[in-house]
């Protein structure tokens, strides 16, 4: 079941080509990327590419802390702010607007 879910998610990322894919927690990214948890760090996952979906993907990947209130590693909003700052910096570097809009050439509607 997990391999199927991972493949479906990978295919959706390749299909929609988001500029940035943010994972809410190291554990979920480790499962998606088939990595050991100790090999995953917070922040941008430079060089990570989706494999085995039959197409190329230019999306960038970012891992942030799990936002659950039970997360003892980053218990306060202030201690998690650097994740949001990191995402904002990626958006600036990639020249992505913080205001969401879809690409009408793909048949998407404006939000």
């Amino acid at each position: 079941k997990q391999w199927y879910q991972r493949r479906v998610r990978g295919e959706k990322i390749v299909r929609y080509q988001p500029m940035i894919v943010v994972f809410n927690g190291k554990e979920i990214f480790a499962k998606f990327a088939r990595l050991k948890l100790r090999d995953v760090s917070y922040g941008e996952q430079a060089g990570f590419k989706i494999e085995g979906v039959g197409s190329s993907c230019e999306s960038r990947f970012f891992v942030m802390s799990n936002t659950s209130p039970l997360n003892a590693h980053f218990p306060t909003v202030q201690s998690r702010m650097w994740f949001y700052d990191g995402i904002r910096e990626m958006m600036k570097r990639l020249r992505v607007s913080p205001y969401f809009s879809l690409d009408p050439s793909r048949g998407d509607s404006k939000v």
Side-chain angles (χ1 to χ4, degrees):
K1 184 177 176 180
Q2 276 188 349
W3 69 267
Y4 176 76
Q5 290 175 341
R6 183 173 36 244
R7 181 182 172 106
V8 168
R9 287 185 187 110
E11 288 173 351
K12 286 182 179 182
I13 291 170
V14 169
R15 178 178 176 200
Y16 294 108
Q17 296 282 329
M19 293 292 284
I20 301 171
V21 179
V22 178
F23 284 83
N24 188 21
K26 283 181 168 183
E27 295 84 5
I28 193 71
F29 180 75
K31 286 179 183 178
F32 176 79
R34 293 184 226 169
L35 297 171
K36 293 183 180 180
L37 187 58
R38 68 174 179 252
D39 296 332
V40 176
S41 59
Y42 290 118
E44 186 173 359
Q45 303 302 302
F48 176 75
K49 298 288 184 190
I50 296 177
E51 296 178 8
V53 292
S55 183
S56 64
C57 180
E58 296 300 320
S59 298
R60 306 300 198 294
F61 297 85
F62 189 94
V63 176
M64 65 180 293
S65 168
N66 187 327
T67 55
S68 167
L70 299 175
N71 186 357
H73 297 292
F74 300 95
T76 65
V77 171
Q78 291 80 13
S79 65
R80 291 190 294 261
M81 286 306 295
W82 78 269
F83 295 112
Y84 301 106
D85 292 340
I87 295 167
R88 185 179 64 223
E89 290 304 314
M90 279 182 73
M91 291 174 72
K92 282 182 186 177
R93 194 176 68 245
L94 298 170
R95 295 184 173 99
V96 177
S97 170
Y99 303 101
F100 186 76
S101 66
L102 299 172
D103 183 356
S105 67
R106 293 191 315 201
D108 298 332
S109 60
K110 290 282 185 186
V111 173

